[in-house]
Amino acid sequence: MDDCIFCKIISGEIPSKKLYEDDEILAFHDVSPQAPVHFLLIPKKHIRNIMELGKDDVALTGRMINKAQELAVGQGCGEKGARFVINCKSDGGQTVNHLHIHVLGGRPLDWPPG
Ligand code: 5GP
Ligand code: ZN
């Protein structure tokens, strides 16, 4: 998608600090970290948000969650845990319209959100 920031990160047009990449998935550190650990996982396919996932995407999203877990452990969150977040559309606080999982850790996080 031409004007999508995350598609530009996938293509390399916008630089990022990559954590992991394969044919379907990219993980990179958030440019504005909200915790000592804060990275994002995105599908390389441009899917706008979780509402637009189809049944065909089950394998992809399953892989993304497994990879999020693996990378969170690699970032030192295995013992104390982390928060895995998917914001969706305006009420969900989504600002980039390309599906992404936030992984935040390295400090205790408040709940519920404000
Ligand atoms: P959202 O609010 O849509 O759930 O989260 C979007 C996230 O993308 C934000 O945490 C924001 O800091 C991050 N972000 C926005 N633009 C860029 C960018 O160009 N590079 C990186 N690495 N992260 C970005
Ligand atoms: Zn995109």
Side-chain angles (χ1 to χ4, degrees):
M1 235 233 172
D2 287 352
D3 60 351
C4 171
I5 293 170
F6 287 176
C7 283
K8 288 181 179 170
I9 286 177
I10 291 163
S11 71
E13 192 179 334
I14 294 176
S16 66
K17 289 187 187 169
K18 290 181 190 174
L19 264 175
Y20 174 80
E21 181 168 18
D22 65 29
D23 288 351
E24 292 185 312
I25 297 170
L26 178 65
F28 53 97
H29 293 283
D30 198 291
V31 76
S32 177
Q34 302 301 309
V37 174
H38 187 180
F39 63 89
L40 306 171
L41 286 100
I42 64 175
K44 289 195 169 175
K45 174 178 163 186
H46 181 85
I47 300 168
R48 287 174 61 82
N49 57 56
I50 197 169
M51 300 294 190
E52 294 196 359
L53 282 172
K55 290 200 170 63
D56 290 351
D57 297 314
V58 168
L60 169 65
T61 51
R63 287 195 60 239
M64 286 177 68
I65 289 174
N66 282 353
K67 189 54 69 177
Q69 174 221 60
E70 183 186 314
L71 293 173
V73 170
Q75 293 292 300
C77 301
E79 188 183 336
K80 291 193 169 177
R83 184 159 298 158
F84 301 77
V85 176
I86 301 176
N87 295 325
C88 181
K89 297 191 182 182
S90 53
D91 277 1
Q94 184 176 11
T95 59
V96 177
N97 293 319
H98 183 130
L99 178 67
H100 48 283
I101 303 174
H102 291 260
V103 181
L104 298 117
R107 69 170 174 87
L109 298 160
D110 293 337
W111 190 264

